[in-house]
Amino acid sequence: MSGISASARIHELAAVHPQASVGANSCVWQFCVVLAGAVIGADCNLNAHTLVEGGAVIGDRVTLKSGVFVWDGVTLEDDVFCGPNATFTNDRQPRSRIYPESFARTLVRRGASIGAGAVILPGVTVGAGSMIGAGAVVTKDVPDGETWYGNPARRA
């Protein structure tokens, strides 16, 4: 996919770079930022105050509630739900103005749900159909279909 679909609904107060890809029937609400190189699938809903960085990939029918930032290296497969202020990270050793050669790859598999305020550390895979509880801190891979919660997150 490349370009912005004619059927995508982009709020006049959103900032969507013309070199981003936004799929058919996706909604990008006010105060959203979508940078060049970002890929957003069809039928997505990006609520107000979200950001999708270049290099991030979002599948079809994904919902980002307010306050979710999806960074370079993060992939959200189809049918993923991210609750308000869910946090993704992409740098294992962040330092001001010192950048890694490449960002860690984080994958949220098809149909997973991330609860409000959860933190997903870099390089983690969240399994298909899994559920991450609100406020959880995910430090390692979550198997398909499991529910995890807590800090550090563990199986329910």
Side-chain angles (χ1 to χ4, degrees):
M1 171 182 23
S2 64
I4 299 171
S5 171
S7 65
R9 293 178 302 280
I10 311 293
H11 193 281
E12 65 183 26
L13 296 177
V16 178
H17 194 281
Q19 292 177 341
S21 294
V22 180
N25 301 312
S26 286
C27 293
V28 180
W29 294 101
Q30 66 273 29
F31 315 120
C32 292
V33 175
V34 180
L35 298 178
V39 176
I40 299 168
D43 298 312
C44 292
N45 189 24
L46 280 61
N47 286 201
H49 303 284
T50 57
L51 177 138
V52 182
E53 190 172 41
V57 177
I58 296 177
D60 296 337
R61 298 171 304 280
V62 171
T63 296
L64 302 182
K65 297 308 253 182
S66 295
V68 176
F69 301 159
V70 182
W71 305 107
D72 183 1
V74 176
T75 297
L76 308 179
E77 291 185 346
D78 297 346
D79 304 303
V80 166
F81 173 86
C82 295
N85 299 306
T87 300
F88 294 96
T89 58
N90 66 356
D91 189 343
R92 296 176 208 267
Q93 297 178 319
R95 298 285 186 255
S96 180
R97 298 179 186 243
I98 300 173
Y99 304 104
E101 289 184 29
S102 64
F103 289 107
R105 305 317 253 173
T106 300
L107 176 62
V108 180
R109 304 295 309 263
R110 176 186 287 268
S113 290
I114 311 293
V119 177
I120 311 300
L121 293 185
V124 168
T125 295
V126 176
S130 62
M131 177 77 67
I132 305 302
V137 178
V138 179
T139 61
K140 59 185 177 180
D141 291 351
V142 175
D144 293 351
E146 291 190 0
T147 298
W148 283 36
Y149 67 94
N151 181 5
R154 61 199 175 281
R155 195 173 117 192

